[in-house]
Amino acid sequence: MSNGLYLAYSALAAMALAPIFYGSYESISRLKGPEKKKSSKAFPEFSDSDDSEDEIDSVGSKDAYMFPVYGSISLFSLYIILKYLDKNYVNMLLSAYFALAGVGAATDSLSLLVKRITKIKLPLYHLSLTHKLKQVFDLKFTNLHLATLFSSIILVGFYMATKNWILSNIIGLCFSFTAIKLMKLDSIKTGIIMLTGLFFYDIFWVFGTEVMVSVAKNLDAPIKLVFPKNLLNPANSFVMLGLGDIVVPGIFVALCLRFDQNQYLKSIKYVPKKPLPAALKNKKIGFPFPTPYFSACFAAYILGLVTTVFVMHTFKAAQPALLYLSPACSLSVVILAAARNELSELFAYSEETEESSDDKKSSKTSPSASAKTEHLEKIHQNEQTPNLGQSPIINKLHHLGVPNSKASQSSSQISAGELADDEHDSQYEPKLSSDQSTAKSTPAPSSPDSSKKDKKKKKSKSKN
């Protein structure tokens, strides 16, 4: 093997390992400490706020089963399109699509890189869209994102104009880093299902057909990492590694790192939304913890990548990298768990955040229904321990000439009808006038105005 090939394979391996390592650590979410008091501010003020993290749906086992199916459909469709249509127009269309996606990935990656290096703290802006009090869209950005967006547009524009392999690699690395950071498997079982399915997928499309190799060579888009075999004379002789061979094992390696963190948090008795244990030193993220499974899986990925390169160079033929990477990653984790007597914990681990049944019930209950429930409970308590002297409804009924027993009965009926204010009492006054016939034995006290009217009526009768 020449020095140029050593350099090419080493550079390819380094470019593959970097997004996996850093993307795995960026996939770790902040811990949930004690709940803070509600603030009057609708949005977090700074870009490093705990509330600035997006919630990403995890990939379940059903999705993992369908990965090879969707991948096969997409790959074969590209093969047919490139074979029967003018590949220049196809590459132009796909390049435009990947250019837009590349601007987003590069903006996110570059802004995060600058933030991690400089530790800068910038005001956070929100572009939010709501419908019927439900948030439909929320874009969070800072001035740093605007600056890196401008840089990303220039970067992608130069790539579109020149098709330079270095710019292609930069965009491909941004794609890989962003995908590993955002895509999350919900369990180790799901990860093994995904790796197993794509293991057979890669073997079939590389060894069984010419589809995979043909698409990789003819598709001019940043979907692969390349490096020239002779750096001084870079022509058409490149070694390449598809981004799928980085992202697919990478999200499993990231899952192993989160499993390591979960095991550590269990050992120090961390409970979400409770005070943080002293071992964390009040850190919600960035605290050190043992990483046996991450280290084993990451080392297995390196070993699988070296095996791929060795077989490819020995047999002078393209190799399906997942043929070696998938078993290496999945078996390394299972063997380590068996050696540590943690197989049950490994396969029981899940990142699905399910609410308790009580929380679900309370979340399903509307505010008006809960208010009615509280109102009826208060009514029930008042019926058991009535206080006739302080009830405004009782006083009003007593003023109209209704005895206390009838008043308490009428008040319970009114309360059962869910009267919340005195402004609704007028609806029930006709019923009270009909009930006054039952209260003749205890006439209501006459007011001064009514006694004057009675005297005038008596005088008029006596004159007649």
Side-chain angles (χ1 to χ4, degrees):
M1 187 183 293
S2 63
N3 293 332
L5 277 178
Y6 272 121
L7 178 61
Y9 289 135
S10 300
L12 208 63
M15 287 189 291
L17 296 176
I20 293 178
F21 184 84
Y22 292 106
S24 298
Y25 276 95
E26 288 297 331
S27 71
I28 296 177
S29 302
R30 292 178 183 269
L31 300 181
K32 295 181 179 179
E35 293 184 352
K36 298 179 181 180
K37 294 182 179 180
K38 292 183 179 180
S39 175
S40 59
K41 295 180 180 179
F43 301 107
E45 183 178 359
F46 293 102
S47 60
D48 59 351
S49 172
D50 294 353
D51 300 328
S52 64
E53 294 187 352
D54 295 326
E55 293 183 2
I56 307 298
D57 293 334
S58 57
V59 178
S61 56
K62 293 182 180 179
D63 299 322
Y65 280 118
M66 296 304 295
F67 262 46
V69 178
Y70 295 145
S72 299
I73 294 173
S74 302
L75 182 65
F76 189 70
S77 299
L78 283 174
Y79 174 76
I80 295 297
I81 291 172
L82 289 170
K83 186 174 182 180
Y84 293 101
L85 298 178
D86 189 346
K87 67 178 183 179
N88 293 325
Y89 291 107
V90 175
N91 280 320
M92 186 182 301
L93 181 63
L94 291 176
S95 296
Y97 169 77
F98 282 106
L100 292 175
V103 168
T107 299
D108 182 73
S109 301
L110 293 176
S111 61
L112 186 60
L113 177 64
V114 173
K115 185 178 175 182
R116 290 289 181 266
I117 294 175
T118 61
K119 306 295 182 181
I120 191 171
K121 185 177 181 181
L122 295 173
L124 184 64
Y125 301 97
H126 285 250
L127 185 62
S128 182
L129 179 65
T130 58
H131 176 66
K132 294 182 179 180
L133 300 180
K134 291 183 179 179
Q135 191 176 71
V136 179
F137 174 77
D138 182 28
L139 177 63
K140 306 171 186 177
F141 62 94
T142 64
N143 294 330
L144 179 60
H145 287 89
L146 297 178
T148 53
L149 174 63
F150 181 71
S151 302
S152 301
I153 293 174
I154 295 176
L155 173 69
V156 174
F158 269 114
Y159 164 74
M160 294 287 290
T162 62
K163 299 296 182 180
N164 183 271
W165 64 272
I166 298 177
L167 299 179
S168 176
N169 286 344
I170 294 174
I171 297 173
L173 288 173
C174 293
F175 274 134
S176 302
F177 173 78
T178 305
I180 294 171
K181 182 185 73 168
L182 296 181
M183 290 183 65
K184 294 187 178 182
L185 302 170
D186 64 352
S187 64
I188 298 291
K189 177 183 175 182
T190 299
I192 293 177
I193 291 172
M194 180 191 67
L195 290 176
T196 303
L198 293 177
F199 168 80
F200 293 105
Y201 158 87
D202 222 15
I203 292 175
F204 174 76
W205 289 112
V206 173
F207 288 152
T209 66
E210 62 171 3
V211 172
M212 181 79 77
V213 177
S214 176
V215 170
K217 289 182 177 180
N218 293 317
L219 188 61
D220 190 9
I223 59 171
K224 55 186 179 292
L225 299 180
V226 297
F227 202 90
K229 294 180 180 179
N230 186 356
L231 187 59
L232 299 178
N233 185 23
N236 293 326
S237 182
F238 288 88
V239 293
M240 68 178 65
L241 181 67
L243 296 187
D245 299 327
I246 301 173
V247 173
V248 172
I251 59 178
F252 184 77
V253 175
L255 176 65
C256 293
L257 180 63
R258 296 194 297 275
F259 175 70
D260 285 328
Q261 185 197 49
N262 181 75
Q263 293 294 96
Y264 172 71
L265 293 176
K266 280 184 178 179
S267 66
I268 62 174
K269 299 180 180 179
Y270 160 76
V271 179
K273 298 183 180 180
K274 299 293 182 182
L276 298 176
L280 297 179
K281 297 180 181 179
N282 205 28
K283 289 184 178 181
K284 294 183 179 180
I285 195 170
F287 50 86
F289 57 90
T291 59
Y293 289 93
F294 169 75
S295 301
C297 193
F298 192 70
Y301 178 85
I302 296 174
L303 182 61
L305 197 60
V306 171
T307 305
T308 304
V309 171
F310 175 78
V311 174
M312 181 173 61
H313 180 74
T314 301
F315 293 96
K316 308 295 181 183
Q319 295 293 315
L322 292 179
L323 170 65
Y324 310 100
L325 297 176
S326 294
C329 292
S330 55
L331 289 178
S332 63
V333 173
V334 173
I335 292 172
L336 179 62
R340 294 166 61 96
N341 295 322
E342 294 177 348
L343 274 175
S344 59
E345 296 181 14
L346 179 72
F347 287 103
Y349 172 67
S350 176
E351 293 189 342
E352 292 181 349
T353 55
E354 298 180 356
E355 295 180 349
S356 62
S357 58
D358 294 338
D359 294 338
K360 286 183 179 180
K361 290 179 181 178
S362 61
S363 62
K364 290 180 181 179
T365 305
S366 62
S368 59
S370 61
K372 286 182 179 180
T373 304
E374 293 178 0
H375 181 63
L376 291 174
E377 288 178 355
K378 290 180 181 179
I379 292 169
H380 182 66
Q381 293 176 359
N382 291 334
E383 288 178 352
Q384 290 181 350
T385 58
N387 189 354
L388 301 180
Q390 297 179 355
S391 175
I393 299 176
I394 300 299
N395 292 335
K396 188 171 183 178
L397 295 176
H398 183 71
H399 180 72
L400 293 173
V402 182
N404 291 342
S405 60
K406 289 289 183 179
S408 60
Q409 183 179 358
S410 299
S411 66
S412 64
Q413 292 175 356
I414 293 171
S415 300
E418 298 180 1
L419 274 183
D421 305 307
D422 288 340
E423 63 183 3
H424 299 294
D425 292 343
S426 59
Q427 300 174 2
Y428 292 86
E429 287 180 359
K431 294 183 180 180
L432 295 176
S433 62
S434 63
D435 292 340
Q436 287 179 1
S437 59
T438 60
K440 290 181 180 179
S441 59
T442 56
S446 60
S447 62
D449 295 335
S450 62
S451 61
K452 289 180 180 179
K453 290 179 181 180
D454 292 340
K455 288 179 181 180
K456 288 180 181 179
K457 290 180 180 180
K458 288 179 181 180
K459 286 181 181 180
S460 61
K461 286 181 180 179
S462 61
K463 287 180 182 180
N464 293 330

